[in-house]
């Protein structure tokens, strides 16, 4: 199978109390038809700290044209109509962003996420035309710290369609305590100070969420 080149990052905010019901219906009705036409999802997450009643799912494609074609086949599948009817009224808001893998040299041995079920998702909005500078500074200063602490990297992306000029970092951890420990170690490192000195004037906005990976099989 060819390497997946783009990622469709979908964020669904449910009506109050709807996230668990959505995941139940997704396993029962949505996932079988999606897998049949789109392939296996990269991940499903449910936010635990941040926007509540939020489910995120990521799907990989070769290109926008590949995504369009696969979705068209999915939309004609009768089971897709069943999922839409069953989930009607659960979703309050939907957003999707098309992402590219950030051009970073990641140590794959230290980026493994096996058994790591809690993720920290950091989204940074960068000034127009300055993404290359932020990615370069991140590779120089932050990747070595992730490597040193053997932090799992579930994905590091830049946005292409949707919310533009966004740098999205998803790191995987064992639990909340591991996230807290890593953030403290990072904040105390000289590399972090060097990174902030380089990029503070490039950043428009930042957000952080903690979510849990949901096994959909």
């Amino acid at each position: 199978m060819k390497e997946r080149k783009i990622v469709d990052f979908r964020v669904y905010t449910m009506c109050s109390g709807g996230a668990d019901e959505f995941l139940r219906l997704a396993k029962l009705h949505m996932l079988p038809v999606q897998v049949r036409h789109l392939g296996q999802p990269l991940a499903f997450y449910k936010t635990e700290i941040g926007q509540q009643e939020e489910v995120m799912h990521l799907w990989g494609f070769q290109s926008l044209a590949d995504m369009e074609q696969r979705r068209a086949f999915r939309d004609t599948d009768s089971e897709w109509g069943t999922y839409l009817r069953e989930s009607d009224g659960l979703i309050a808001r939907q957003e999707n962003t098309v992402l590219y893998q950030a051009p970073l040299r990641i140590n794959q041995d230290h980026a493994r996420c096996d058994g790591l079920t809690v993720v920290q998702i950091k989204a940074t909005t960068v000034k127009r035309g300055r993404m290359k500078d932020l990615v370069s500074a991140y590779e120089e200063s932050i990747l070595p710290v992730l490597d040193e602490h053997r932090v799992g990297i579930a994905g590091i992306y830049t946005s292409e369609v949707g919310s533009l000029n966004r740098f999205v970092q998803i790191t995987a951890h064992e639990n909340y305590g591991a996230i807290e420990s890593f953030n403290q170690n990072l904040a105390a490192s000289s590399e972090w100070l060097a990174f902030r000195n380089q990029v503070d004037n490039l950043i428009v906005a930042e957000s952080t969420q903690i979510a849990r990976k949901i096994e959909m099989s």
Side-chain angles (χ1 to χ4, degrees), residues 158-217:
T158 60
S159 63
E160 176 64 17
V161 180
S163 299
L164 297 180
N165 303 310
R166 295 185 75 194
F167 180 77
V168 179
Q169 172 197 351
I170 308 176
T171 55
H173 307 265
E174 185 177 358
N175 50 41
Y176 288 3
I179 293 177
E180 188 174 38
S181 177
F182 169 68
N183 288 340
Q184 290 171 350
N185 289 332
L186 180 63
S189 69
S190 58
E191 291 87 352
W192 176 251
L193 179 61
F195 175 71
R196 297 306 304 197
N197 285 339
Q198 291 181 71
V199 305
D200 271 353
N201 66 331
L202 309 181
I203 294 174
V204 175
E206 296 177 283
S207 66
T208 302
Q209 295 171 281
I210 293 177
R212 191 170 300 273
K213 186 176 183 179
I214 305 298
E215 294 298 336
M216 299 295 287
S217 57

Side-chain angles (χ1 to χ4, degrees), residues 7-202:
V7 171
D8 181 23
F9 183 22
R10 308 190 69 82
V11 181
Y12 291 178
T13 304
M14 307 300 162
C15 297
S16 180
D20 289 338
E21 176 63 9
F22 171 80
L23 288 168
R24 185 188 71 82
L25 290 173
K27 288 182 182 181
L28 185 63
H29 295 300
M30 183 254 273
L31 196 62
V33 66
Q34 290 271 67
V35 168
R36 187 155 57 244
H37 298 289
L38 309 186
Q40 291 289 339
L42 301 180
F44 267 77
Y45 301 119
K46 180 183 176 184
T47 301
E48 294 186 347
I49 299 179
Q51 174 68 53
Q52 296 300 290
E53 300 294 348
E54 188 174 80
V55 174
M56 294 167 277
H57 40 125
L58 291 78
W59 302 82
F61 300 94
Q62 287 292 305
S63 62
L64 287 173
D66 177 48
M67 183 172 72
E68 180 183 38
Q69 183 180 55
R70 289 175 180 273
R71 283 182 176 176
F73 285 127
R74 177 204 64 190
D75 291 348
T76 62
D77 192 309
S78 61
E79 288 189 41
W80 185 244
T82 300
Y83 156 69
L84 293 177
R85 288 191 299 273
E86 292 291 330
S87 62
D88 185 43
L90 282 177
I91 302 171
R93 182 173 180 270
Q94 299 179 72
E95 177 185 4
N96 77 305
T97 305
V98 174
L99 306 172
Y100 280 149
Q101 291 277 358
L104 297 166
R105 294 185 295 270
I106 297 172
N107 185 331
Q108 294 302 314
D109 289 338
H110 294 174
R112 294 178 62 85
C113 300
D114 297 347
L116 302 177
T117 60
V118 179
V119 297
Q120 181 171 240
I121 303 172
K122 291 186 175 182
T124 302
T125 302
V126 184
K127 289 181 180 178
R128 183 183 178 194
R130 303 303 300 274
M131 181 63 73
K132 184 177 179 180
D133 296 329
L134 184 134
V135 170
S136 177
Y138 187 92
E139 182 169 50
E140 178 183 348
S141 298
I142 303 302
L143 276 187
V145 180
L146 299 182
D147 191 37
E148 177 186 354
H149 293 281
R150 297 180 177 272
V151 173
I153 299 175
I156 302 178
Y157 307 102
T158 60
S159 63
E160 176 64 17
V161 180
S163 299
L164 297 180
N165 303 310
R166 295 185 75 194
F167 180 77
V168 179
Q169 172 197 351
I170 308 176
T171 55
H173 307 265
E174 185 177 358
N175 50 41
Y176 288 3
I179 293 177
E180 188 174 38
S181 177
F182 169 68
N183 288 340
Q184 290 171 350
N185 289 332
L186 180 63
S189 69
S190 58
E191 291 87 352
W192 176 251
L193 179 61
F195 175 71
R196 297 306 304 197
N197 285 339
Q198 291 181 71
V199 305
D200 271 353
N201 66 331
L202 309 181

